[in-house]
Amino acid sequence: MMASSYNAKEEDGHHSGSSTHGGTGAPKNKKPDNTAFKQQRLPAWQPILTAGTVLPAFFVIGLMFIPIGIGLYVTSNNIKEYEVDYTGVEPNSPCYDCANNFTWNSTTPCVCTVTFTLTQPFESNVYMYYGLSNFYQNHRRYVKSRDDSQLNGVQSSLTNPSKECEPYRTNPETKQPIAPCGAIANSLFNDTLELYYSQPDGNTSKVTLVKTGIAWYTDKHVKFRNPGNDKDNLTERFKGTAKPVNWLKPVYELDPSDSENNGFINEDFIVWMRTAALPTFRKLYRIIQKKPDSTPTLASGKYVLKITYNYPVRSFDGRKRMILSTISWMGGKNPFLGIAYITVGSICFFLGVVLLIIHHKYDTRSNSADIPN
Amino acid sequence: LVCTRKRSLEERRVKANDREHNEKFQYANNCIVTSKYNILTFLPVNLFEQFQEVANTYFLFLLILQLIPQISSLSWFTTIVPLALVLSITAVKDATDDYFRHKSDNQVNNRQSQVLIRGSLQNEKWMNVKVGDIIKLENNQFVAADLLLLSSTEPHGLCYIETAELDGETNMKVRQSVSVTAELGDPNNLASFDGEVVCEPPNNKLDRFCGTLYWREKKYPLTNQNMLLRGCVLRNTEACYGLVIFAGPDTKLMQNSGRTKFKRTSIDRLMNTLVLWIFGFLVCMGVILAVGNAVWEREVGSLFQSYLPWDPPVDNFMFSAFLSFWSYIIILNTVVPISLYVSVEVIRLGHSYFINWDRQMFCSRCNTAAESRTTTLNEELGQVEYIFSDKTGTLTQNIMTFNKCSINGQTYGEVTDPLGKQPKRLDFTPFNPLANPDFCFYDEKLLESVKVGDLHTHEFFRLLSLCHTVMSEEKSEGELVYKAQSPDEGALVTAARNFGFVFRSRTPGTITTTEMGRTVTYSLLAILDFNNIRKRMSVIVRNPEGRICLYCKGADTVLLERLHPCNQELMSITSDHLNEYGADGLRTLALAYRELSEDEWEAWSESHRCADKATDCREDRLAAAYDKIEQDMKLLGATAIEDKLQEGVPETIALLSLANIKIWVLTGDKQETAVNIGYSCKMLTDDMTEVFIIGGHTVQSVRQELRSAVVCRLQNTAGSFRKMRQKLLYISGEFALIISGHSLAHALEADMEAEFVSTACACKAVICCRVTPLQKAQVVELIKKHKKAVTLAIGDGANDVSMIKSAHIGVGISGQEGIQAVLASDYSFAQFRFLQRLLLVHGRWSYLRMCRFLCYFFYKNFAFTMVHFWFGFFCGFSAQTVYDQFFITLYNIVYTSLPVLAMGVFDQDVPDHRSLEYPKLYEPGQLNLLFNKKEFFICITQGIYTSVVLFFVPYAVLSDATQSNGVPLADYQTFAVTTATALVIVVSVQIALDTGFWTVFNHMFVWGSVGSYFTIMFALHSQTLFRIFPNQFRFIGSAQNTLLQPVVWLTIALATAVCVVPVLAFRFLKLDLKPQLSDTLVRQKRRKPGGRSIGGAWRGTGSVSEGRLGARGGSRRSGYAFSHQEGFGELITSGKNMRLSSLALANFASKHSSSWIETLRRKKTNHTPPIKSVSCFSGVCFSLIILRSAL
């Protein structure tokens, strides 16, 4: 930013004005334009923080937040939620054996059952979630370890996945590209949860779990697409690729029963691929549709959760949960929001009162104050 | 060759008309290049220069870090887009600057000059002129290179130059060639000239040249008197020939135009410190997170390996932590965003334009608008504490007008009309066809007195028309142009001219005047010239009747004691008049005459001749001879000349001192003149308790004077409790200090400077007189060093350049003297009074805006960045970002840049007229209240608080929340969109709170930014972009999925409220309990829309009534008030310059003399103690002070 102070033009800049013989036309009037912009006289609104504006604002915020908070809190309290931890940490828990005897290459799945009782009936649609704790889906290396191009069905990426997928890019033995590649896909949650209702008469009936409609519409229909031609067999379309290392079955066998839910567009897979923001998270697993008649979707009583225990979490102190929840207009159970609104609203109101008192006590002076000169 | 080169470093050898010989030395040719780039070198050189900026290199370093996949936590474009933007903006600016430099270089290099080649004159471009060429210059042409004058068309090889472009002095200077070459008149003789010049190597000393001409086996010494320097203009000389000695970059002009010191504002320095602190903070955060990473990888990550193995080169947690440190440095680097520097520059540029556009700083008389020549100092204008002002041309117009006179005890010129009617200007034309129409006088009585034929009045004006050294030129009959050496003399002779005593012409021995229409020729017998010791000048003339008369004018102090005793009564009346005039701040002269008999004249003439011929102590002998004849004179009267102040100077000074700005006047003028101006511009008032005058010549005396001033001040403060109330009105007591140059030299010595500063800063006004340009700069440096205050220097002449350059802010007055001061200045305008608007309005606003801008800028970046820090604790310290990479890229350059820029450019707290009415509004800037380390900590605390809220509120809400269709909201993308939206809304609300002045632009930018955020987000999350680049636009659908959820909006509203409510409460409390003056004013405006009545109060105090001034006037009556120099009298009597006067002098008359430096220099070389008068005057004052303090 150094500049030479010498400017050759200036060498005669002054002279041209003062020389007597250089009278070429009338000198240009250099008076600046009289515009509001240039003279900094633009019309403007000058808001001032006065007692007349600030104090009402506090009261208005307070009066708005408290009712909203109460509404939220009541809504949240009406939502029913039930949570079962089936990790199997304690020796007396039903899944203790499965959790402890787990090996990656065991061929026979370990099954355990957890019994629990719902004291209240669950109305309307009930949503079933699996929850994981201490699972870092938001780790930078984990988050980036995917190839959205491949998941979008781009053929070239299918056979040549992005480098971001390393070390889950190609199968170390066959050297075939992995589809879907990357650490996220590789660690797909693969426990199977089934729910049985123990009727009071002693019979058990299986609760119907709907496995579609659990992913974002855009994910299901835009972001994830199977590669290749729709007419071809899905197996054909994934030919030449290897399954992820941890998977028991290849991607085209995720849901052989429903071609609209198989391959990359399998919703369980899509839900897993939408990584969580925090190390403790829940993901939507199944939906229990409300019954056409007016009976509750899940009546109160005993239930049996049958778990096919495939997913090891004990090595990193993880926890696995199954959550059943109803839903309101504002989503699931969320007491924090209501309490926070009530708190903030009250604080605002209180602040408003305090400031009003302070203002009345001290403002007399500044009202009548002369401006010091 | 090596030998010759080495020698050329020590001396320069130039042989005339011998290009081959001169080429051996490889001297620079006359082509100048001020441009930095050409088309090919622009890109590499400019980039190289830009990457020398620490900030740019830092961002380049980050960019390189990002290319390492193990480290890269962001895409490469998050850094490269802002960096490229910044680099290209700067590059465009540099390119335009350089383009104009190229243009002006070309224009100058292609100027034509006539070069003598092989005996004939040929036209050559300037750039082809070589050292050793002989070139011909014609009248009014620029000198192409530094030339040795060989011959000219004028007698004695004289030629006249104007050096305004070189040193700012507009008076003409005489140059004379060496007598042997002066005879080489025509080109043919010159073509065969083969002299060799040996001289010093190129240097930047404008007033010195040392060399020798070897020609025909003889040596001739060369001095600066023989040189014509590049940048000068030839005047009043038909043509001259010169030998090129230095060309192009070697010329003194170019040697003087070195790189200027790049000035930085105090905000800049503070900002740099803060940025360093932030870097430290950044590293700390990096270390904390890296340690966290190490712990996490050891405790959790190693167990999590089955799902998330380490990247190949990483094999242990320490290495992972090391990489994580760099990753965090990358993602947290936005605490110091690159856009900070660019935004600051843009805001300053905007403020500079506002200064350039201000109509109220436009001088219509000289058609000059204010100009901000540097765009980097604006906010410093709002922090000025000390102003150093030049006097002549800055405070005063350097125009002298004949204002009053006292003739034979009768005073004229006082037009008192109780009704305050505009007095009528006298019309002289019917009475005197030769009158100057520009002359203004209002008192009819004087004209009557002339018409009636009052003998005293006639004699008075006769004296004025005869006793001077003015030259006249009569282009056509009756059209007279006077060329006076000092404007005072011009004013006196013009006054005489209008009152019927017209000075027509002079020869060495005669003066021709037209007295009341009758042409009279006096024979001029002697000129007893002025000098600083004599403080008077006389002429002895013989009128046509043969009567010999001595006319004398001079300082009353010296003249009154030389009167004939019979003048006692008249003397006391005139003395009273002189006191009155002095009290009005006028420059006074007393006039007297004496008739000489033929014998007296003969006798004196003989002794004079004797003294004149003396070889030793000629000066003293002459002075003694003069003294002998200037006795027993009869008093005629006195004149009073007004040194016209610039418009509005007293008001401006009053206003600025109310704004707590201390004004020091540094002038080369004499003490009396300076004090006079001090009074007339109300810097010094009669209300002042004490005016200390320091005039000692030795270290001891100066020290003693300073000490007694301190003692005196203490006594006064302690003794007068009654005055305490009064004191509160003034800013720093009612003392003034006047110090002269030679005392200042001692006061500036290392062991005394602290004492001097403490004394001087306790005074309300400080006047330094008789200071050299160097001392001006030293005084400025002294204050900079001891007071840590922002200084501003204002001046108009070349003598102010050093001071302008060394002050924090330099202001040049344009359109008066040369443009040197303007070229060196940071701001320039035409009138001193514009200073109040520059400081109190523009400076204050700039400071306010810059401070608000910086506070907000740091806040918003901390709020933005620190979210990553908190997120680090939840993502395994893996340097995962919270936001989408596009959001990170665009946040600083799109979403939040314009509202804060609009605030930085347009914000106002109080309107401009208010800041002028209440100068106290300026104080926050001087005290650095609006942006300092404390304010900075408040901002970043607020930013960190906001980041905590922005992370933990969504965290708490979203971790369990689901959409209304049961899908959990806790996925990463939803979290990112929620946090980002909340952030944009919170910072927008914050800028809305910070903006105090909502113009249409603010509305546009604030709403536009929020709008653009949503538009861009929806576009980036659209299917179209995802289909093209699936791996870059992963957030497809996030915007609509997230923003349709009521919970998300409830979260955002909650976060906003939690962020804003405390801020609002604090601001309200601050405003309510500790309102600033500006806050009160803004509120006042609400209550009383037209409440200007209070504001006028200061004006009353500002204009001290004229009557009171007379009370103590006697002590400061001006002595001989001429800014005068000796030496011309001799030139006149010798007749050497007579051709000059008959030649075209058109330009000369209008120029002002400012060559007092020359006088000073000559004094120094003569080894006479400089300015004895001042010392004795101050000695008296000093004893007075002691007396007073003793009482």
Side-chain angles (χ1 to χ4, degrees), chain B residues 39-60:
Chain B
I39 291 174
L40 281 179
T41 59
F42 176 73
L43 209 61
V45 174
N46 185 260
L47 280 181
F48 177 73
E49 277 177 5
Q50 289 205 41
F51 281 117
Q52 285 179 333
E53 290 279 310
V54 180
N56 289 344
T57 325
Y58 168 69
F59 285 100
L60 187 71

Side-chain angles (χ1 to χ4, degrees), chain B residues 37-245:
Chain B
Y37 322 106
N38 62 40
I39 291 174
L40 281 179
T41 59
F42 176 73
L43 209 61
V45 174
N46 185 260
L47 280 181
F48 177 73
E49 277 177 5
Q50 289 205 41
F51 281 117
Q52 285 179 333
E53 290 279 310
V54 180
N56 289 344
T57 325
Y58 168 69
F59 285 100
L60 187 71
F61 169 68
L62 284 181
L63 189 66
I64 292 164
L65 271 185
Q66 284 186 27
L67 297 177
I68 304 167
Q70 280 77 24
I71 287 175
S72 163
S73 45
L74 286 172
S75 311
W76 52 271
F77 56 77
T78 49
T79 302
I80 209 171
V81 170
L83 184 64
L85 205 74
V86 168
L87 292 181
S88 49
I89 289 174
T90 319
V92 166
K93 188 176 148 264
D94 289 347
T96 17
D97 286 355
D98 208 51
Y99 170 73
F100 287 111
R101 260 181 249 132
H102 267 290
K103 245 173 91 168
S104 69
D105 282 356
N106 274 342
Q107 189 208 334
V108 169
N109 283 334
N110 287 326
R111 280 194 195 141
Q112 294 291 329
S113 64
Q114 299 180 57
V115 181
L116 196 63
I117 297 171
R118 285 181 292 277
S120 65
L121 283 171
Q122 289 176 11
N123 272 336
E124 274 277 22
K125 287 177 179 168
W126 273 29
M127 55 183 183
N128 297 331
V129 171
K130 297 257 166 26
V131 171
D133 287 355
I134 292 178
I135 62 177
K136 182 189 180 188
L137 289 172
E138 283 170 1
N139 200 13
N140 294 330
Q141 270 185 350
F142 275 102
V143 178
D146 289 358
L147 307 176
L148 171 69
L149 181 63
L150 292 177
S151 70
S152 91
T153 50
E154 304 301 299
H156 311 287
L158 284 174
C159 80
Y160 303 92
I161 52 168
E162 190 187 86
T163 58
E165 311 306 325
L166 207 57
D167 58 10
E169 295 181 18
T170 45
N171 59 338
M172 263 186 271
K173 298 200 171 77
V174 185
R175 291 288 182 265
Q176 193 171 18
S177 61
V178 180
S179 51
V180 281
T181 60
E183 291 147 16
L184 305 164
D186 62 293
N188 292 331
N189 290 340
L190 283 166
S192 55
F193 174 69
D194 59 351
E196 186 176 20
V197 174
V198 178
C199 67
E200 61 196 4
N203 58 49
N204 61 0
K205 294 181 187 108
L206 289 178
D207 55 346
R208 227 195 65 147
F209 178 77
C210 180
T212 320
L213 172 69
Y214 293 89
W215 190 41
R216 293 180 180 159
E217 269 87 63
K218 275 191 182 158
K219 278 163 75 173
Y220 305 93
L222 303 174
T223 66
N224 193 40
Q225 205 56 33
N226 312 110
M227 294 295 287
L228 303 175
L229 300 183
R230 180 174 180 146
C232 300
V233 182
L234 195 65
R235 297 280 187 210
N236 304 331
T237 311
E238 269 171 36
C240 73
Y241 291 90
L243 169 68
V244 179
I245 305 286

Side-chain angles (χ1 to χ4, degrees), chain A residues 8-248:
Chain A
K9 209 174 84 185
E10 283 164 344
E11 201 180 319
D12 61 350
H14 174 65
H15 181 66
S16 61
S18 66
S19 65
T20 45
H21 53 84
T24 48
K28 208 178 87 191
N29 189 8
K30 289 187 241 157
K31 187 159 189 169
D33 303 333
N34 190 11
T35 57
F37 176 72
K38 289 191 175 180
Q39 301 308 315
Q40 305 197 61
R41 280 188 276 103
L42 285 173
W45 169 58
Q46 275 187 283
I48 309 158
L49 295 180
T50 59
T53 53
V54 175
L55 296 179
F58 277 113
F59 289 121
V60 167
I61 295 174
L63 291 179
M64 269 166 53
F65 271 41
I66 294 171
I68 293 176
I70 291 168
L72 287 170
Y73 189 69
V74 171
T75 318
S76 173
N77 268 358
N78 285 338
I79 290 169
K80 297 185 184 71
E81 201 176 89
Y82 191 83
E83 199 174 299
V84 180
D85 187 320
Y86 68 90
T87 323
V89 182
E90 290 83 28
N92 58 352
S93 68
C95 294
Y96 182 74
D97 289 337
C98 285
N100 275 353
N101 300 333
F102 178 83
T103 47
W104 278 107
N105 32 8
S106 71
T107 45
T108 47
C110 177
V111 176
C112 55
T113 55
V114 178
T115 320
F116 62 95
T117 310
L118 291 182
T119 51
Q120 284 179 308
F122 281 40
E123 315 272 346
S124 189
N125 284 356
V126 178
Y127 296 81
M128 187 181 189
Y129 302 90
Y130 60 87
L132 293 174
S133 298
N134 209 17
F135 192 100
Y136 284 83
Q137 257 207 322
N138 59 2
H139 197 282
R140 178 168 59 86
R141 272 184 282 128
Y142 188 84
V143 170
K144 70 172 184 181
S145 184
R146 64 193 284 158
D147 184 352
D148 281 290
S149 179
Q150 189 192 46
L151 298 172
N152 194 229
V154 176
Q155 195 66 42
S156 58
S157 302
L158 185 73
T159 49
N160 183 20
S162 156
K163 284 196 181 59
E164 302 280 9
C165 286
E166 289 289 3
Y168 301 108
R169 185 164 166 262
T170 51
N171 189 301
E173 284 137 35
T174 61
K175 303 289 173 210
Q176 278 181 317
I178 292 174
C181 74
I184 309 177
N186 187 53
S187 59
L188 175 70
F189 179 78
N190 56 359
D191 280 0
T192 315
L193 305 176
E194 283 169 53
L195 193 62
Y196 296 90
Y197 176 49
S198 313
Q199 279 162 348
D201 53 15
N203 293 335
T204 50
S205 61
K206 192 174 179 181
V207 179
T208 319
L209 302 175
V210 180
K211 56 185 171 187
T212 53
I214 57 173
W216 284 16
Y217 178 87
T218 41
D219 283 358
K220 170 97 178 174
H221 295 96
V222 183
K223 198 173 179 181
F224 289 81
R225 265 198 268 163
N226 280 322
N229 199 323
D230 277 346
K231 284 176 209 131
D232 289 335
N233 188 332
L234 204 56
T235 320
E236 281 296 305
R237 286 148 79 174
F238 281 101
K239 203 174 164 201
T241 62
K243 73 173 173 61
V245 186
N246 284 7
W247 286 21
L248 300 172

Side-chain angles (χ1 to χ4, degrees), chain A residues 1-12 14-15 20-21 28-34 37-40 42-51 54 58 65 72 127 129 135-136 138-144 146-149 152 167-168 183 187 214 216 218 222-223 225 246 274-279 282-284 311-312 315-316 327 329-334 336-337 340-341 344 348 351 355 358-359 362-363 365 367 371-373, chain B residues 32 34 69-70 72 104 108 111 140 142 165 230 235 254 257-260 262 296-297 303-304 306-311 327 354 356-359 362 367 819 823 842 845 849 871 874-876 878-880 906 908-909 918 920 955-957 961-968 970-975 996-998 1001 1023 1026-1027 1030-1031 1034 1036 1038 1041 1047 1050 1053-1054 1057-1058 1061 1065 1067-1069 1071-1073 1077 1081-1082 1084-1087:
Chain A
M1 300 212 175
M2 303 275 277
S4 164
S5 73
Y6 175 77
N7 183 339
K9 209 174 84 185
E10 283 164 344
E11 201 180 319
D12 61 350
H14 174 65
H15 181 66
T20 45
H21 53 84
K28 208 178 87 191
N29 189 8
K30 289 187 241 157
K31 187 159 189 169
D33 303 333
N34 190 11
F37 176 72
K38 289 191 175 180
Q39 301 308 315
Q40 305 197 61
L42 285 173
W45 169 58
Q46 275 187 283
I48 309 158
L49 295 180
T50 59
V54 175
F58 277 113
F65 271 41
L72 287 170
Y127 296 81
Y129 302 90
F135 192 100
Y136 284 83
N138 59 2
H139 197 282
R140 178 168 59 86
R141 272 184 282 128
Y142 188 84
V143 170
K144 70 172 184 181
R146 64 193 284 158
D147 184 352
D148 281 290
S149 179
N152 194 229
Y168 301 108
S187 59
I214 57 173
W216 284 16
T218 41
V222 183
K223 198 173 179 181
R225 265 198 268 163
N246 284 7
R274 178 157 287 281
T275 52
L278 299 161
R282 58 166 84 172
K283 285 182 184 286
L284 187 54
Y311 203 69
S315 64
F316 54 91
I327 279 277
W329 59 271
M330 53 156 286
K333 201 175 183 71
N334 197 354
F336 173 81
L337 197 57
Y341 262 82
V344 172
C348 277
L351 261 180
L355 292 181
I358 293 175
H359 179 69
Y362 295 93
D363 193 48
R365 182 192 46 183
N367 264 335
I371 295 169
N373 223 323
Chain B
I32 57 158
T34 58
Q70 280 77 24
S72 163
S104 69
V108 169
R111 280 194 195 141
N140 294 330
F142 275 102
E165 311 306 325
R230 180 174 180 146
R235 297 280 187 210
M254 295 300 293
S257 59
R259 287 169 169 252
T260 43
F262 183 65
W296 188 86
E297 289 289 351
L303 308 172
F304 201 56
S306 52
Y307 291 121
L308 187 60
W310 280 329
D311 277 343
S327 303
F354 281 134
N356 294 349
W357 284 334
D358 196 335
R359 279 164 80 90
F362 175 79
N367 195 22
I819 54 166
L823 287 184
H842 288 285
W845 273 345
R849 291 163 178 172
F871 189 55
F874 295 88
C875 68
S878 61
Q880 172 64 18
F906 299 111
Q908 303 180 4
D909 53 348
Y918 297 96
K920 274 273 173 281
Y955 168 79
V957 177
T962 60
Q963 292 189 3
S964 43
N965 62 2
V967 176
D971 66 292
Y972 169 70
Q973 296 190 344
T974 303
F975 191 82
F997 194 75
W998 284 78
F1001 296 100
Q1023 301 184 11
F1026 173 77
R1027 289 225 169 88
N1031 272 330
R1034 289 180 172 166
I1036 171 184
S1038 297
N1041 261 305
V1047 176
L1050 286 171
L1054 182 68
V1058 176
V1061 163
R1067 295 224 170 146
F1068 176 74
L1069 275 179
L1071 219 61
D1072 219 42
L1073 302 180
L1077 177 59
L1081 278 177
V1082 175
Q1084 200 102 15
K1085 194 182 111 201
R1086 280 277 160 99
R1087 289 184 194 137

